[in-house]
Amino acid sequence: MTSQIKTVLLLGLLTGLLMMLGGAMGGRAGLVLAFGFAMVMNVGSYWYSDKIVLKMYKAQELSPGDAPHIHRVVEEMAQAAGIPKPRIFLIPQDSPNAFATGRNPENAVVAVTRGIVNILSPDELKGVLAHELGHIANRDILIQTVAAVLAGAIVFIANMLQWTAIFGFGNDDEEGGNPIAALAMAFLAPIAAGLIQMAISRSREYLADDTGARLAGNPLHLAGALGKLDSASKQVPMEGSPATENMFIVAPFSGKRAASLFATHPPIEDRIARLRAMAEGR
């Protein structure tokens, strides 16, 4: 299934969730309102979701003079992948992590945290950058970024719906408003949104690992980086929105909560084992 088809399916599922929330909140009027909100969010996500996420994490663009090694490595691997060289941003956080964003390869961005630059060797950093370029080459970044923005919108509306159901704002029995159904929907919709993100993110992380390993020239570069990042991110979690978790190379908020059924990343042990098997030619 192509990335474009997956994007359409994802937008359809998340739009449906928003419409269901609107229907539970205000009957037909709420349904129409939620549909309009979903349309605005979908269009806005396509054009502006990368800017929203970068601003959320206070990321600043790195010039070639600021980080010559990173720019050189990214340029070499972008050429090997047959994509334009993405812009590079630095997130001012000590938690080590990275993500790629942007609506297409021509408008792509790779963002790394201050922490990742400090703890990885040059080869390991190359493996991480190759993984993110893999997301760009595989056109995963649009679907991941849109998922993060729309999931955040669903959580926001679900929170509003809880208060609407409790206090009866805008509730009209003739329009089919039901506070119990509204509360149930407010609880279940964020869970469903998380499941959608999980299903997509897991498979795309494996694919980006495979692509990144080939671009870096040695799967062990990325394998070593993943082990360090997983351990360090648990000790120093990211500060940010959980709705963006699926965008990062390793789960950024794992230090703040126990293992979850809704984890957006495959187990680190499985990812490392796959990369080591690649290195051994298995």
Side-chain angles (χ1 to χ4, degrees):
M1 184 182 296
T2 67
S3 179
Q4 290 87 344
I5 294 175
K6 284 191 174 183
T7 300
V8 171
L9 291 175
L10 173 65
L11 292 176
L13 286 171
L14 293 181
T15 298
L17 282 175
L18 284 171
M19 293 177 65
M20 290 173 66
L21 284 172
M25 183 167 57
R28 288 192 295 270
L31 190 64
V32 172
L33 180 63
F35 179 77
F37 182 79
M39 291 296 293
V40 172
M41 286 296 299
N42 288 345
V43 173
S45 294
Y46 181 79
W47 289 103
Y48 301 113
S49 55
D50 55 338
K51 299 178 180 64
I52 293 171
V53 173
L54 291 171
K55 185 174 182 179
M56 179 187 302
Y57 286 99
K58 300 178 181 178
Q60 299 294 322
E61 187 165 6
L62 286 175
S63 69
D66 295 328
H69 172 70
I70 292 178
H71 274 271
R72 183 172 62 254
V73 170
V74 169
E75 184 170 10
E76 291 173 356
M77 290 191 295
Q79 290 178 353
I83 59 175
K85 177 176 175 285
R87 297 159 65 198
I88 301 170
F89 280 69
L90 180 70
I91 299 171
Q93 292 199 35
D94 292 326
S95 180
N97 226 309
F99 67 80
T101 185
R103 63 183 182 272
N104 53 39
E106 290 72 29
N107 295 277
V109 167
V110 171
V112 297
T113 65
R114 180 174 57 213
I116 203 173
V117 177
N118 293 334
I119 72 166
L120 296 186
S121 70
D123 283 342
E124 290 167 343
L125 182 58
K126 181 179 181 180
V128 168
L129 295 171
H131 171 96
E132 299 307 333
L133 288 172
H135 277 306
I136 297 171
N138 296 332
R139 296 182 179 268
D140 295 333
I141 48 179
L142 171 61
I143 198 168
Q144 290 180 327
T145 305
V146 170
V149 172
L150 291 183
I154 286 172
V155 172
F156 175 76
I157 294 177
N159 288 335
M160 291 179 58
L161 181 57
Q162 290 180 23
W163 292 106
T164 300
I166 292 171
F167 293 105
F169 299 140
N171 193 7
D172 187 344
D173 290 336
E174 293 182 0
E175 290 291 321
N178 186 322
I180 296 177
L183 283 172
M185 182 62 65
F187 175 74
L188 293 174
I191 296 175
L195 287 172
I196 293 170
Q197 285 186 279
M198 178 188 68
I200 294 167
S201 183
R202 283 178 178 268
S203 63
R204 305 314 287 182
E205 285 301 318
Y206 280 132
L207 181 58
D209 283 348
D210 294 346
T211 304
R214 289 192 294 271
L215 289 175
N218 187 341
L220 296 181
H221 294 341
L222 180 56
L226 289 176
K228 285 186 179 180
L229 295 180
D230 182 59
S231 176
S233 66
K234 290 176 180 176
Q235 298 176 26
V236 186
M238 290 281 294
E239 295 292 333
S241 170
T244 63
E245 181 167 350
N246 67 312
M247 298 177 63
F248 288 87
I249 187 169
V250 297
F253 310 111
S254 56
K256 292 185 177 179
R257 63 183 185 183
S260 171
L261 291 174
F262 304 100
T264 56
H265 292 67
I268 285 292
E269 296 80 7
D270 291 352
R271 295 171 68 183
I272 292 175
R274 285 167 57 97
L275 290 165
R276 288 176 175 168
M278 286 182 64
E280 295 171 2
R282 291 189 276 125

